[in-house]
Amino acid sequence: MANNDLTWIDQQLRDVAVPAHALDRLREIAALGDRELDHLIRAQPLPAGVMDRLRVIGTQADVEVDQELQHVGLPDGLIPRLRRGMKWQVWRTWLAQVAVAASLMLALGGSIYLLGTTMQPLGAVGDPHNNVVQATPGARDAIPPSVVPAPGINGGKSSVVVVPTPHPAPLTPVPSPNESIVVTPINSPKTANHSTSDNDPVPDNRPPGVDVLSQMYSQTPDLRVIPSLAPHGVSGPRVRGYDLMFEQVHGVHPAVQPAKNSLLRESRVPIWTATSSYEATWRAIRSRQPLIASQVRVEDFLAAMDYDFPPPQSGELALRTAGGPYPFAWAQPTQSLLQIGAQAGKFHRGLDVGVHLTLAVDASAEMLSGGRWDVARRSIADLAEQMTSKDRLTIVVFDGAAKMIAQYADRQAVVSDIIPKLNGLAPRGVADVAVGLELAAPLSYAKPPAAQVDDDAPARSNRLVLLTDGLIRVDSATLARSKKLLAPALAAGVALEVIDVRADVVANPQLRELAQVASVEVRHAPTLHDLNGRLRAAIAGRNQVVADSVSLKVNFNPEAVESYRLIGHDATSIAGLEPGQLEGELRAEEAATALYVVELKPDGSDDVATVELSWREPGSEQVHRIKQPVGRLQFAPSWMETPLSLQTAAIAAETAEILRGSYYLQNVPRALDQVADLARQANPALQNRASFFQLKSLIDAARAARISGPARGA
């Protein structure tokens, strides 16, 4: 805008009449000094809850505050302006370095020239008979930013960005506490307008035609840091016939033809039960936070589902298989799906007398971060399902104060009364562990209320679990007081366990010191799966692992199978990073599942594959094995006839593939809508399962996040 325009606008504004009372008020404010203004501002009341939130922020370290702020959404158009500013800063730095390098070169060159003209040593610069190249100081530092192609991580195209000097990094999704400062390949996922919807979708004020999730995917990561890469995924065999280049470039498993090499007939399947990626994706989509495609793991989505496999009739494990059509529009007509599941049996507690378990649960505002409160209350609901008629549960929640939610409650009371109370509780304030233990520790060994006394029943064993976010900050006097509060409980035979539910593994020294009072270690349980296992072990009195060193492999028959492809477990084959473990453990009633896309030969053999499951009992070296054939007749002819477990797995896996921006779903229009339609058509018995209902809610929330506009592929 020209200066003349600004002058004209200023003149027009000066002609606007100001109300008399406004001028009087402005004169009063102008007459006030700094102290008077400060006093008036201090007297203004703050909205409810602000002080609690400020106290929480005051207890956080700089790194944690930085992580919280990086989740805050930025206004539209701000990130492009920041990027332009950073680019100009980089080029300005480079130009300055070029100027310095040129000055040094001229100065040094002039000095050498003067020396050469006076001394003329053999091989000097300018000697036409000795072609000596003189290195130029500063030249290496004067290289401008450059982008070099590099293999992708987890699929997508990647680049190694070389920056001459450190510069302000763009605002990006929250990095992991274990990030390291490196020059790193950056994943650029394929465009994926994938979204997810909730029953109560969050309104969005962005202009029409904007795909929210596409904007999330397109955010440039910080070029100087990457999240710590945990080993996961499996790499294909390094043998002739396996398209290793495809795996490296696209980050997904290629279709494998078992007839090309005898070594390709066998496929190993990781025993995977982690669900952290599924939970993080659900939270990110519901809160409209950036969704990083490479962190969406298909195997986590599969592990989060309840397949309701029949339990083993005898022994610890059982094999379950199911086959059916590949029902999506982007699938080839000759392709089918094959599901293979390993189902663990129930845990038998024996003739115990029951447990009185006291939970001291952190209900501070910090538990809202990362969905930790939601994980805690859902784990307590799962715990109720594991209680026997002899078990009793006492629950104390604490922030700055402590409150007893239940005392000596049986399973029925927990389900009907306690769980609704926890669902209606809103975490707030700052956690005071000492206050929580002051109430919970005496309750852990107190005699049951008169109404709960049963003279014929032997005394129950007492256990106390402290469940917190792991970042307690107390002075030495308060810590000593907490230890003193635990002493009578430990003397009464109460078993103590301390559980940290934070998503990182950074240990808190004060929490560790508190746990060492009972000579125990702080247990880390960042996901719903992990916390369920910890609480189940607490109510049962011992670890509920029923099978260790569990291994699953599939031998495909080349006479029946044209090709097969493992869905999920995408490899991260970069230097120095080991693949994930193929063997694992299964707790009581847990299931691990794998999903394959299989292309059967039209006139091939009826014997499609042989599945082998092996494991050891905990503490034993004896290996148990189960072998089970998979026949062509096991593949259902239609989607409606497909077993419910396979329907669940197919919808969960394809949802993750879409959100991840899989190579196999490039240029597929409105893929998520097709998955949602198939989910609505699923068997009514499936609709009532909690895990499937939540998956449908995630899909709907993703679709709601996509605002109406040109379809660019769901």
Side-chain angles (χ1 to χ4, degrees), residues 392-417:
R392 297 294 182 268
L393 187 62
T394 295
I395 300 179
V396 171
V397 296
F398 64 90
D399 42 48
K403 178 182 179 181
M404 184 178 68
I405 301 295
Q407 184 180 15
Y408 257 82
D410 58 15
R411 174 179 175 175
Q412 182 178 356
V414 173
V415 172
S416 61
D417 184 36

Side-chain angles (χ1 to χ4, degrees), residues 114-136:
L114 292 175
L115 288 174
T117 55
T118 55
M119 302 181 64
Q120 286 293 336
L122 183 65
V125 173
D127 186 349
H129 305 291
N130 296 278
N131 299 321
V132 177
V133 178
Q134 185 73 35
T136 305

Side-chain angles (χ1 to χ4, degrees), residues 492-668:
V494 177
L496 174 68
E497 184 166 0
V498 180
I499 300 177
D500 175 5
V501 296
R502 285 186 62 85
D504 56 70
V505 292
V506 179
N508 182 278
Q510 294 175 318
L511 197 62
R512 184 191 298 118
E513 187 175 347
L514 192 63
Q516 288 176 349
V517 174
S519 301
V520 297
E521 296 293 331
V522 176
R523 303 297 184 183
H524 194 65
T527 69
L528 180 63
H529 170 264
D530 296 326
L531 188 55
N532 282 350
R534 293 295 179 194
L535 294 185
R536 287 186 180 193
I539 199 74
R542 61 187 178 92
N543 200 328
Q544 288 192 303
V545 174
V546 298
D548 199 2
S549 302
V550 185
S551 174
L552 188 63
K553 63 182 179 181
V554 186
N555 282 281
F556 288 97
N557 181 7
E559 301 298 325
V561 177
E562 182 68 33
S563 67
Y564 67 87
R565 174 173 67 87
L566 177 63
I567 300 179
H569 303 287
D570 302 325
T572 51
S573 301
I574 61 175
L577 182 63
E578 295 295 328
Q581 294 286 338
L582 289 172
E583 295 184 351
E585 63 181 24
L586 286 177
R587 300 181 184 137
E589 300 182 52
E590 267 188 340
T593 191
L595 194 63
Y596 287 91
V597 176
V598 179
E599 185 176 359
L600 298 177
K601 294 181 177 180
D603 300 322
S605 171
D606 290 336
D607 299 326
V608 175
T610 302
V611 185
E612 181 178 323
L613 178 67
S614 63
W615 74 96
R616 294 201 308 261
E617 295 181 18
S620 172
E621 295 299 325
Q622 182 181 0
V623 178
H624 302 268
R625 283 187 174 85
I626 298 176
K627 284 188 177 182
Q628 183 172 309
V630 177
R632 190 181 293 265
L633 293 178
Q634 289 182 245
F635 288 79
S638 68
W639 174 251
M640 298 307 296
E641 298 174 87
T642 299
L644 300 188
S645 64
L646 180 53
Q647 291 188 26
T648 305
I651 294 172
E654 220 65 13
T655 300
E657 290 272 80
I658 294 169
L659 296 177
R660 185 176 172 79
S662 172
Y663 166 82
Y664 293 102
L665 292 170
Q666 289 182 350
N667 303 320
V668 175

Side-chain angles (χ1 to χ4, degrees), residues 197-496:
S197 154
D198 197 13
N199 294 335
D200 185 17
V202 180
D204 194 286
N205 297 322
R206 295 177 183 264
V210 177
D211 190 320
V212 177
L213 287 181
S214 293
Q215 289 189 349
M216 293 178 180
Y217 279 106
S218 63
Q219 292 193 14
T220 304
D222 188 338
L223 302 181
R224 297 174 297 168
V225 296
I226 57 171
S228 58
L229 297 174
H232 56 220
V234 291
S235 298
R238 272 53 172 170
V239 298
R240 187 182 299 276
Y242 185 83
D243 196 345
L244 184 61
M245 183 59 68
F246 179 95
E247 179 185 287
Q248 296 287 338
V249 172
H250 300 295
V252 293
H253 294 290
V256 178
Q257 295 179 307
K260 285 190 173 182
N261 193 315
S262 60
L263 297 177
L264 297 178
R265 300 177 185 178
E266 180 180 293
S267 174
R268 295 288 303 275
V269 185
I271 299 299
W272 195 266
T273 55
T275 60
S276 56
S277 169
Y278 175 78
E279 296 166 22
T281 301
W282 172 236
R283 290 194 300 268
I285 291 177
R286 289 197 64 181
S287 59
R288 299 296 181 88
Q289 296 298 327
L291 184 62
I292 303 175
S294 61
Q295 295 180 4
V296 178
R297 307 292 304 176
V298 179
E299 55 271 25
D300 285 22
F301 276 62
L302 288 171
M305 298 298 106
D306 174 19
Y307 299 106
D308 198 23
F309 289 132
Q313 295 181 355
S314 61
E316 295 83 11
L317 297 185
L319 266 174
R320 300 290 179 249
T321 59
Y326 195 6
F328 304 100
W330 50 85
Q332 299 297 323
T334 56
Q335 290 178 328
S336 301
L337 291 176
L338 173 63
Q339 181 188 24
I340 300 169
Q343 175 65 54
K346 292 185 177 181
F347 181 80
H348 300 288
R349 291 173 56 176
L351 300 176
D352 62 11
V353 295
V355 171
H356 172 220
L357 178 62
T358 301
L359 296 179
V361 184
D362 186 342
S364 66
E366 183 63 22
M367 287 289 286
L368 293 172
S369 178
R372 293 194 282 271
W373 174 252
D374 182 57
V375 169
R377 64 179 182 80
R378 287 170 61 190
S379 292
I380 295 173
D382 175 82
L383 178 66
E385 299 299 324
Q386 307 302 316
M387 294 174 62
T388 68
S389 59
K390 302 176 182 178
D391 297 326
R392 297 294 182 268
L393 187 62
T394 295
I395 300 179
V396 171
V397 296
F398 64 90
D399 42 48
K403 178 182 179 181
M404 184 178 68
I405 301 295
Q407 184 180 15
Y408 257 82
D410 58 15
R411 174 179 175 175
Q412 182 178 356
V414 173
V415 172
S416 61
D417 184 36
I418 309 307
I419 300 303
K421 285 184 180 179
L422 291 174
N423 291 340
L425 193 151
R428 53 172 296 172
V430 182
D432 188 337
V433 174
V435 169
L437 292 177
E438 186 174 13
L439 178 58
L443 290 174
S444 65
Y445 61 92
K447 293 182 178 180
Q452 294 282 351
V453 174
D454 186 353
D455 296 333
D456 297 331
R460 297 177 176 88
S461 59
N462 296 316
R463 292 164 193 152
L464 171 62
V465 173
L466 172 62
L467 194 156
T468 179
D469 75 341
L471 283 180
I472 63 171
R473 297 175 184 84
V474 295
D475 53 35
S476 56
T478 305
L479 185 62
R481 176 167 163 256
S482 300
K483 294 179 181 179
K484 187 176 181 180
L485 290 169
L486 287 173
L490 298 176
V494 177
L496 174 68

